[in-house]
């Protein structure tokens, strides 16, 4: 089973913020090699560029959407920009696009959709009320897992992520994403080799290796900073522990209950531990 299967089948795919390896923010665009899943009622104050883009109801995007695969926008979605789709597009009722919609495949469009600068599609155009795709995906996937039908569930996951080894970028319901801050009421998991702008706010935060985050990290529970990662801000938690691995750089303060800092890490500010302060490597911790 591929990596995306393990991650998605283990939980509801939009119950956490997941930023896969190599994701970057470039000139007000969120760019990833894989798919993008956005939970309903979220605000993304960026453009989005990925393979396939799927958004729940009442999601707003402040920029263009560019999808190499399909694009599925549920009802009441709002895009302040153009939507460029190489394959098929599905728009729920009352979706709004301020720019132009260009579709390389088929277009399935709901009632009262407003595309201010017009649209074109190379394939079939069907005007009706398409099913809310992300709602269907989550509910059907949960139902299959409840019945123990893991093979069928994996096939459903593979339809969304055609590359079985690619991790989709997931933004949970009611999230807010911008150049200033990523705010979610769920855990946040950031992969390796990412370049992100904005403060990260989540219930708990795990940051991979060799990332560059131009902002601070703040969580209710545990926070971990991977090796070689640079955080341009504070790393704080209200009720959890903080771990900073080898060669990581924190250009700010570090605060938590128990704080673990690798001897080869560099913390530019003040370290505050409400419990214990540990200056040790991962190997030392595992031997305890």
């Amino acid at each position: 089973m591929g990596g995306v299967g393990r991650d998605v089948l283990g939980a509801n795919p939009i119950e956490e913020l997941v930023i896969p390896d190599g994701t970057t923010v470039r000139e007000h665009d969120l760019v990833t090699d894989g798919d993008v899943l956005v939970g309903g009622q979220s605000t993304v104050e960026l453009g989005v560029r990925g393979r396939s883009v799927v958004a729940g109801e009442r999601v707003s995007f402040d920029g263009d959407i560019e999808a190499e695969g399909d694009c599925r926008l549920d009802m009441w979605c709002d895009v302040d920009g153009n939507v460029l789709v190489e394959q098929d597009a599905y728009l729920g009722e009352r979706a709004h696009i301020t720019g132009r919609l260009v579709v390389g495949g088929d277009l399935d469009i709901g009632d009262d959709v407003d595309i201010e600068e017009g649209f074109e599609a190379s394939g079939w155009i069907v005007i009706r009320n398409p099913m809310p795709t992300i709602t269907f995906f989550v509910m059907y996937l949960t139902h299959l897992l409840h019945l123990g039908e893991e093979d069928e569930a994996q096939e459903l996951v593979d339809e969304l992520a055609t590359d079985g080894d690619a991790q989709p970028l997931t933004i949970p319901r009611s999230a807010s994403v911008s150049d200033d801050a990523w705010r979610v009421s769920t855990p946040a998991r950031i992969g390796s080799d990412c370049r992100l702008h904005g403060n990260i706010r989540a219930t708990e935060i795990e940051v991979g290796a060799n990332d560059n985050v131009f902002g601070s990290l703040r969580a209710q529970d545990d926070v971990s900073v991977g090796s070689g990662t640079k955080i341009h801000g504070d790393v704080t938690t209200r009720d959890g522990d903080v771990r900073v691995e080898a060669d990581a750089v924190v250009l700010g303060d570090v605060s938590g209950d128990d704080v673990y800092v690798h001897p080869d890490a560099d913390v530019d500010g003040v370290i505050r531990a409400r419990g214990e302060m540990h200056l040790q490597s991962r190997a030392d911790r595992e031997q305890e």
Side-chain angles (χ1 to χ4, degrees):
M1 187 178 295
V4 66
R6 285 193 300 270
D7 290 330
V8 175
L9 293 179
N12 184 318
I14 53 174
E15 283 186 343
E16 61 179 358
L17 171 66
V18 178
I19 302 174
D21 296 350
T23 299
T24 61
V25 175
R26 306 176 193 167
E27 298 178 352
H28 203 63
D29 284 339
L30 179 58
V31 182
T32 184
D33 291 334
D35 298 322
V36 178
L37 285 172
V38 184
Q41 301 184 33
S42 292
T43 301
V44 181
E45 296 181 22
L46 299 166
V48 174
R49 290 159 56 187
R51 188 167 54 199
S52 290
V53 178
V54 180
E57 77 284 355
R58 298 181 185 272
V59 174
S60 64
F61 297 89
D62 187 12
D64 296 341
I65 294 177
E66 298 182 27
E68 296 177 2
D70 295 343
C71 180
R72 302 167 182 257
L73 305 179
D74 280 352
M75 60 186 68
W76 297 100
C77 280
D78 188 273
V79 181
D80 188 8
N82 301 309
V83 177
L84 310 177
V85 186
E86 293 190 14
Q87 296 184 20
D88 299 334
Y90 306 80
L91 272 65
E93 63 182 16
R94 294 180 173 82
H96 174 226
I97 299 172
T98 64
R100 185 167 181 81
L101 171 66
V102 180
V103 181
D106 299 336
L107 171 61
D108 195 344
I109 191 169
D111 295 333
D112 298 324
V113 170
D114 182 15
I115 305 170
E116 294 187 12
E117 296 186 12
F119 65 90
E120 60 182 86
S122 299
W124 293 97
I125 298 176
V126 178
I127 300 177
R128 60 184 180 87
N129 186 12
M131 179 177 292
T133 54
I134 197 166
T135 303
F136 172 80
F137 175 80
V138 173
M139 292 182 63
Y140 185 44
L141 179 61
T142 303
H143 177 68
L144 290 175
L145 292 175
H146 180 72
L147 296 177
E149 300 289 346
E150 289 198 2
D151 289 341
E152 290 189 31
Q154 181 61 45
E155 291 179 5
L156 179 62
V157 171
D158 290 340
E159 287 183 9
L160 188 64
T162 55
D163 180 355
D165 293 327
Q167 168 72 58
L169 188 154
T170 64
I171 298 175
R173 185 178 182 86
S174 301
S176 176
V177 176
S178 70
D179 280 334
D180 294 328
W182 302 60
R183 301 181 186 276
V184 298
S185 56
T186 67
R189 183 157 49 91
I190 301 171
S192 299
D193 302 308
C194 297
R195 182 182 175 88
L196 304 176
H197 292 263
N199 302 312
I200 310 296
R201 304 289 184 259
T203 57
E204 60 185 72
I205 303 172
E206 176 185 343
V207 183
N210 302 313
D211 291 327
N212 206 348
V213 179
F214 293 89
S216 62
L217 308 180
R218 184 190 301 169
Q220 296 174 342
D221 298 318
D222 294 346
V223 179
S224 64
V225 179
S227 60
T229 285
K230 191 171 188 177
I231 307 296
H232 297 253
D234 297 335
V235 177
T236 61
T237 173
R238 186 168 62 188
D239 299 314
D241 300 336
V242 176
R243 288 178 169 82
V244 182
E245 300 295 349
D247 300 318
V249 176
V250 178
L251 300 178
D253 298 340
V254 173
S255 176
D257 287 344
D258 292 345
V259 177
Y260 302 82
V261 178
H262 193 283
D264 295 330
D266 184 9
V267 177
D268 191 52
V270 177
I271 300 177
R272 300 181 178 90
R274 293 181 291 272
E276 297 182 353
M277 168 65 193
H278 304 267
L279 188 65
Q280 59 181 190
S281 67
R282 181 187 294 272
D284 295 334
R285 295 199 304 269
E286 292 175 348
Q287 290 175 3
E288 291 183 346

